[in-house]
Amino acid sequence: MVDAARHPRIDVRTFTEVEKVEGFVGNFKVTLREKAKYVIADRCNGCGDCARVCPIEVPNYFDMNLAPRKAAYVPMSQSVPLVYNIDLDACIHCYKCVDACGALEAIDFSQEDKLVEEDIGAMIVATGFSHFDPSVMEEYGYSRYPNVITSMEMERLNNSAGPTAGNLIRPSDNKNPQKLAFINCVGSRDKRYNPSCSNFCCMYSIKNAILLKQMNPNVDITIYYIDIRTPSKGYEEFYDRAREMGIHFSQGRPSLITEDPETHNLFVHSEDVTLGKVMEKEYDMVMLNQAAVPQPDQNHMSSVLNVAQSPGGWFMEYHPKLRPIDSPTDGVFFAGACQGPKDIPSSVAQGSAASSRASRILQSDHWEIEPTVAVVFPERCSATTRGRACGICAKACPYGAINIFSPEIPAEVVTAKCHGCGACVAECPEDAITQLHFTDAQILAQMRAVLADKPEEKILAFRCHWCSYGGADLAGTSHFEYTANERGLRVMCSARMDTDFIYEAYRLGAGAVLYSGCHPQDCHYITGQLIGAKRASRLEKIFERMKMTDGRFRVEWISAAEGDKYARVLNEMQAVLDDIPMDDLKAEIEQLKPEMSKRLKKFPGVPGVQEAMDYSDILVDAITKQKEAA
């Protein structure tokens, strides 16, 4: 940190929060809130005289509230930069600090928060993680029993720079404990709180145990665990070293901790899986190795940075295998545990990778983006035709790429921010937006081509480019057997699968339609799958009211690795068609055509659509005449 602060091209902004982010890759406008420290940084020399005379003491968050700090403070003695801060919530305005500061005159109680706007080319998000609060698990007695502490509290007590100068003591009587229990997976791998593993906790627990054993070889330590997970280089050897030092390992999650009210000793109740017995053991002190959880402001930062979150609340990467450093928003990258629990080596590696990815942007004069961007037809936008902007497109865009300036001005797409999911195109009620390379006319031409001959026998499959299209490809390369009546169309995302496409497919006489895309957690477009899923759900209800045969419209979420599922779904849809007598199927198609046509009144007016329909009609007539002649 000292080297970073002294580097001529690194600007360290402490006590500063990101207030707002606007713009796009290479051209971000970031608003920073520099919080008032009530100390003039250029004048403070870090002498600490203000803290020594301050009469107020409050719990020190850095020491896990195990020791006090003054209202004039630095978080730790190695803080960079070493500039003191006045905690105005605790300050009683006695002004002793002002007198102690003397000629430096570094303390200024008139300071206020300041908003600063910066031009940023790329951003790396490294906000880290927080810790699960074990007090909600009443069975472990944290916050009720003084000698039940967390792993971070143990870390501070065992640290030479901590509140006890590295002397591990029991909070209840300040004695050195001789028998300790460490409990792993507190709040993790637990469906009540966090079902996932926190990744580094096993090694963290073993590290603390070894450090304590090295300081006091006579201390008795037992680690309670569900499974010991030591997957990285040298980790298994570290685990073996702990066992060789005499550290005990007991497989089984403790169910209860009770306390002797006189001695404050603790009794851990658990099942020893190895012995197949329920055990109760007495300890001087218990450490809870709590789960890693997202930061409390993770939702706020997700909104500010316009990046997605996984179901567990962590920031979601663009692709877990191919682009694990990138966020779905170009120019924003992740490093460390903000993306998910990681140990130190993984965080360092990801930090190096993220800086490398960001430097590519900073050293480029131009930045290439995918050409499948959205474009507005100004003459069709309701802001132009009706004098009001509905704003549906802006709400549908997961990237904030659409601006609505006023009710009278058509919507505007910021091309550099658009990722080409097509959600705005399919959601627009006026068909006032199109997507380059996936226009309504282009998709319609493909539909009419594949349904030109015996459409009632065909299954038209709409596939998302990233997942279900890959699943279909895998089904083919893996030689899975599925119906030859399938005809597939590719779009970038299920969010682009317009209701007009589905209605037109049935109006053209398609026997069945498959609406397929990625699973929610795999979507490349943040909320694209969610938008597509809502639309598909509406279609299912509409077709149910139309009394369409169940199974002729099907919605499935298929990953690129699920070729077998793609083949199975198509075979099941073919079975549905086979069960319907052909005359009945044709009668149903004819019966539903007027309703489909009614819902497509605006479709021919979309630019390029009527031309595509006329051209495809000419081709179909030519093919029909050719067949009749043969």
Side-chain angles (χ1 to χ4, degrees), residues 10 62 259 269 273 398 406 561:
I10 296 178
F62 184 78
E259 182 193 53
H269 305 254
V273 175
S406 75

Side-chain angles (χ1 to χ4, degrees), residues 468-480 482 559-564 566:
S468 57
Y469 187 83
D473 190 47
L474 181 62
T477 57
S478 301
H479 303 290
F480 294 132
Y482 61 89
S559 77
E562 293 179 314
D564 57 332
Y566 187 82

Side-chain angles (χ1 to χ4, degrees), residues 23 306 394 397-403 414 417-418:
N306 195 32
C397 180
Y399 301 95
I402 299 179
N403 293 328
V414 181
K417 295 176 74 173
C418 178

Side-chain angles (χ1 to χ4, degrees), residues 229-272:
R229 296 183 169 181
T230 57
S232 297
K233 181 180 179 181
Y235 285 12
E236 188 68 20
E237 292 82 355
F238 194 67
Y239 172 41
D240 291 338
R241 178 182 164 192
R243 290 188 291 181
E244 290 168 1
M245 292 177 70
I247 296 169
H248 308 293
F249 290 84
S250 178
Q251 186 174 15
R253 189 200 296 268
S255 59
L256 183 66
I257 296 176
T258 55
E259 182 193 53
D260 185 327
E262 293 183 4
T263 64
H264 293 292
N265 285 354
L266 302 162
F267 297 91
V268 176
H269 305 254
S270 73
E271 178 188 6
D272 190 314

Side-chain angles (χ1 to χ4, degrees), residues 265-307:
N265 285 354
L266 302 162
F267 297 91
V268 176
H269 305 254
S270 73
E271 178 188 6
D272 190 314
V273 175
T274 306
L275 299 177
K277 293 182 179 180
V278 176
M279 311 288 286
E280 177 186 289
K281 292 187 178 180
E282 183 177 358
Y283 296 96
D284 299 330
M285 201 170 179
V286 173
M287 184 199 82
L288 305 180
N289 208 3
Q290 74 264 50
V293 296
Q295 290 280 23
D297 64 346
Q298 195 93 338
N299 292 340
H300 170 71
M301 288 306 301
S302 175
S303 175
V304 169
L305 297 168
N306 195 32
V307 294

Side-chain angles (χ1 to χ4, degrees), residues 132-142 186-187 190 192-193:
F132 172 76
D133 180 8
S135 61
V136 300
M137 301 181 69
E138 296 183 359
E139 62 268 31
Y140 288 162
Y142 179 73
V186 176
D190 190 329
R192 295 175 299 173
Y193 308 108

Side-chain angles (χ1 to χ4, degrees), residues 21-24 28 303-308 317-318 327-330 393-403 413-424 466 493 523-528 531:
V21 175
E22 297 176 316
F24 45 86
F28 290 110
S303 175
V304 169
L305 297 168
N306 195 32
V307 294
E317 62 283 347
Y318 190 91
S327 80
T329 300
D330 282 348
C393 54
K395 294 175 183 176
C397 180
Y399 301 95
I402 299 179
N403 293 328
V413 177
V414 181
T415 303
K417 295 176 74 173
C418 178
H419 284 60
C421 64
C424 58
W466 300 101
C493 178
C523 186
H524 280 59
Y525 300 110
I526 306 179
T527 58
I531 294 170

Side-chain angles (χ1 to χ4, degrees), residues 536-553:
S537 179
R538 291 197 300 267
L539 283 168
E540 286 179 319
K541 293 176 182 176
I542 289 170
F543 294 146
E544 185 178 352
R545 289 197 299 269
M546 290 183 185
K547 297 182 179 180
M548 179 186 287
T549 300
D550 189 33
R552 285 189 60 207
F553 178 72

